[in-house]
Amino acid sequence: MEILPEGRRNPMIDKVVSGDGMDILYHLGLDTSSDLSQFSDTRFVVMGGSSERAASWAEQLRQRFAPTLKSPLSPFGKTERFTMFKVGPIISASHGIGMPSMRVLLHEMAKLMRYAGAHDVIFIRVGTSGGIGSDPGTIIVSTTGMMGTLEPEYELIELGERRRYPARLDDGVAEGLFCAAERLGTPSVKGATVGTDDFYEGQGRLDGALQTSYTEEDKMKFLCKAYEAGVRNIEMEAPAFGSFCLQAGIRGAIVCCSIVNRLKGDQIESTPDQLSNFSVDAQRVVTEYMEQILLQAGCPPTKRSRT
């Protein structure tokens, strides 16, 4: 599958490929004057908010897929905004918190893949989220991103005008990830994921610093409405991620672990060890899926140990 196919990519990219100018991928710390061929074999770009999780997952991927690589792994590019590691055919990256930060990474990572000549690359966002009817520890595989209005779209203001884009995710990848969770025996559900611009009022919380315009009863009505609409979790990235991947011709998926069931409360009461395990569980599901895809493609991991 071609990344940024004709009719969807910025015409500037074709000019750069033909040698007419240079593209500076500023936030990645890369540009097209350097040799980007090392990224041509990329099959997966996995991403989450935390740079620490990107690094620790990269090390787990190294142990499982490329144990001959020297440890500790060194990030590529610059690390002021994002932290990125290349492990065989996989890139592990951090995207910061929220949609604006993540969209910067998505734009420049998609261009990097195009300039490197990579094909059939799957982007997967992995993280934690507030479950809606999903208890802590449950894996939620997203079917579509939704705005806080419960519409399966992403709204972006361009030149002062509001533009909306569909935010659905790839059905085939979602099903593969769900099956991977089942193989591991991890509690999992599929459903829509709401992404908001805020962690507190935007997600209907009552534990922020400011007095809210809504009550506990109002919050519960909204959360129940969301559940009835097929929403199973809420975070801060899904609609932007889904819409970008769809526009860019990239097969995209989101896998999150619930850290709180919002139908039962707002406070995250799990212990630090439990929260760490929740993040690892989501990564394990994605790693299981990636291994299956690589095996089907005739590219078995160097080492089949479990992490």
Side-chain angles (χ1 to χ4, degrees):
M1 188 174 181
E2 184 182 11
I3 294 178
L4 297 171
E6 188 174 0
R8 298 188 187 185
R9 65 178 174 266
N10 187 336
M12 177 205 74
I13 294 173
D14 293 330
K15 292 181 180 179
V16 173
V17 170
S18 68
D20 183 11
M22 179 177 70
D23 192 359
I24 299 172
L25 308 177
Y26 174 73
H27 302 87
L28 303 189
L30 301 170
D31 64 65
T32 54
S33 69
S34 56
D35 181 9
L36 303 179
S37 62
Q38 62 177 303
F39 302 105
S40 63
D41 65 342
T42 304
R43 290 296 309 279
F44 299 96
V45 178
V46 295
M47 61 187 74
S50 165
S51 59
E52 290 184 2
R53 287 203 294 266
S56 63
W57 195 8
E59 174 56 25
Q60 292 170 16
L61 294 171
R62 184 198 69 80
Q63 294 174 17
R64 184 161 178 178
F65 291 96
T68 58
L69 288 179
K70 185 181 295 186
S71 179
L73 294 169
S74 297
F76 67 83
K78 67 181 184 181
T79 57
E80 295 171 14
R81 300 292 182 182
F82 309 114
T83 304
M84 303 165 291
F85 300 87
K86 177 80 160 51
V87 185
I90 303 167
I91 290 175
S92 173
S94 64
H95 60 57
I97 186 169
M99 291 183 264
S101 173
M102 181 192 64
R103 275 183 59 87
V104 173
L105 177 72
L106 289 173
H107 272 279
E108 297 187 13
M109 186 62 70
K111 290 200 291 181
L112 173 61
M113 295 295 99
R114 178 77 192 187
Y115 291 136
H119 293 276
D120 300 319
V121 184
I122 297 173
F123 282 21
I124 305 176
R125 192 189 104 69
V126 184
T128 55
S129 63
I132 298 183
S134 304
D135 288 331
T138 303
I139 296 294
I140 300 102
V141 179
S142 305
T143 55
T144 187
M146 280 189 175
M147 299 190 299
T149 56
L150 304 184
E151 297 168 284
E153 298 175 319
Y154 172 63
E155 183 174 273
L156 186 64
I157 297 176
E158 302 172 9
L159 302 180
E161 295 186 4
R162 298 179 184 273
R163 306 274 185 185
R164 288 195 173 192
Y165 302 94
R168 66 181 181 275
L169 294 154
D170 187 275
D171 291 336
V173 179
E175 182 61 26
L177 288 161
F178 186 72
C179 290
E182 289 191 322
R183 287 196 299 274
L184 293 172
T186 305
S188 56
V189 297
K190 286 195 293 185
T193 298
V194 167
T196 66
D197 294 323
D198 172 68
F199 183 79
Y200 287 97
E201 293 93 336
Q203 297 188 7
R205 280 187 159 82
L206 290 163
D207 59 347
L210 302 175
Q211 182 173 345
T212 62
S213 62
Y214 49 85
T215 65
E216 173 75 19
E217 182 180 1
D218 295 332
K219 179 193 81 171
M220 292 307 298
K221 284 181 179 178
F222 173 77
L223 293 177
C224 288
K225 178 182 178 182
Y227 184 85
E228 291 170 2
V231 176
R232 293 297 176 266
N233 62 330
I234 184 168
E235 37 92 296
M236 296 177 64
E237 291 87 10
F241 182 90
S243 69
F244 182 90
C245 289
L246 192 60
Q247 285 181 275
I250 295 169
R251 301 176 70 193
I254 301 175
V255 178
C256 287
C257 193
S258 170
I259 58 175
V260 60
N261 185 346
R262 292 293 312 286
L263 296 181
K264 297 180 180 179
D266 294 342
Q267 289 281 298
I268 299 167
E269 298 177 345
S270 301
T271 67
D273 285 345
Q274 287 174 320
L275 292 173
S276 177
N277 289 335
F278 293 158
S279 296
V280 171
D281 284 346
Q283 292 173 355
R284 285 179 62 236
V285 169
V286 176
T287 301
E288 174 75 15
Y289 168 75
M290 292 191 295
E291 180 177 85
Q292 187 73 18
I293 296 298
L294 292 173
L295 285 170
Q296 291 173 359
C299 304
T302 305
K303 185 176 181 180
R304 294 291 303 278
S305 64
R306 299 287 174 178
T307 58

